[in-house]
Amino acid sequence: MNGTVLSNTGLLTTGRMVRAEARKLFTTKAVPVTLAIAIVLAVGSVIIDALVAGRPGAAPLGTDASTNQMLKFGAIPCVVMLILGILAAGSEFRHRTIVPVLFATPQRARVFAVKVIVIAALGAAFAALVFGLGLETIVLTLSAHGIHHLPDGVGRLYAGTVISSACFGMIGVALGALTRNTIGAIVAAIVWTLFVEQVILAAIVPGVEKW
């Protein structure tokens, strides 16, 4: 009986922590502004790729190569969630708001587990929205030119983007909690993902770079 009561109390506490963490994220301007910018970048990249399709060095519009190029916006929500994950954890230490949080809930593991859960859920939902908007833009653009087919594997790419964004958000929380320095962690993460992985590893060990 006591075990059941303690379990229910723990679930209620965790539920309140999840709601508080979600409220904390969306009461700052950084999150909605960052998400809005990411959506603009994703849709804008599709439009730009469509405009340059068929020009020298670019595949014609409607080919699998051209459409796959348009679909590369999937990396945007991953990078955005990496940054937001770092901010969600690192900002707590930077602004010392972690102190009252740990006083209220002394279980540090639970505090950061809740952050991971909330950021992962946000990453999955955000990636689903961004990819859906980008994909709809691609479909409308192709339909306007009388093209009504997409390459194979778009569904797998959609699912992979959703899962990857959730994972990148969780990695961001870990980096923010470990470094406790939001600017340093963000710079290091972006340099690693956009330079080390995309340039150095791709050139030296391409078989490893994809992982």
Side-chain angles (χ1 to χ4, degrees):
M1 180 68 178
N2 289 337
T4 303
V5 172
L6 289 173
S7 177
N8 290 337
T9 302
L11 289 174
L12 288 172
T13 301
T14 302
R16 285 196 295 268
M17 291 171 65
V18 168
R19 290 192 295 273
E21 188 65 31
R23 189 164 55 248
K24 193 186 304 178
L25 279 174
F26 286 97
T27 51
T28 62
K29 292 181 180 179
V31 173
V33 169
T34 302
L35 298 183
I37 291 173
I39 291 172
V40 171
L41 289 175
V43 174
S45 70
V46 170
I47 295 172
I48 291 172
D49 285 333
L51 291 174
V52 301
R55 295 185 180 183
L61 188 67
T63 61
D64 285 356
S66 174
T67 305
N68 285 330
Q69 176 62 35
M70 295 164 73
L71 286 165
K72 286 186 176 180
F73 66 85
I76 293 174
C78 294
V79 175
V80 168
M81 289 314 305
L82 178 63
I83 294 172
L84 290 181
I86 292 171
L87 290 175
S91 294
E92 294 272 29
F93 292 97
R94 181 182 178 186
H95 299 293
R96 307 299 296 170
T97 53
I98 191 66
V99 175
V101 172
L102 292 178
F103 271 129
T105 310
Q107 298 169 309
R108 186 181 294 260
R110 178 180 288 186
V111 170
F112 285 97
V114 167
K115 287 185 181 297
V116 167
I117 291 169
V118 172
I119 287 293
L122 174 62
F126 173 61
L129 173 64
V130 172
F131 201 99
L133 291 173
L135 185 59
E136 182 65 21
T137 304
I138 290 174
V139 170
L140 292 174
T141 301
L142 294 179
S143 297
H145 291 81
I147 302 165
H148 303 285
H149 69 275
L150 294 172
D152 295 332
V154 172
R156 291 194 300 273
L157 183 59
Y158 200 148
T161 301
V162 170
I163 295 170
S164 296
S165 295
C167 291
F168 269 91
M170 292 189 284
I171 292 171
V173 172
L175 286 174
L178 288 172
T179 63
R180 302 186 182 186
N181 183 326
T182 52
I183 296 176
I186 289 172
V187 171
I190 291 176
V191 168
W192 177 269
T193 54
L194 299 183
F195 181 70
V196 177
E197 287 186 4
Q198 300 295 325
V199 178
I200 297 178
L201 292 182
I204 300 174
V205 280
V208 174
E209 182 269 336
K210 66 179 181 179
W211 300 105

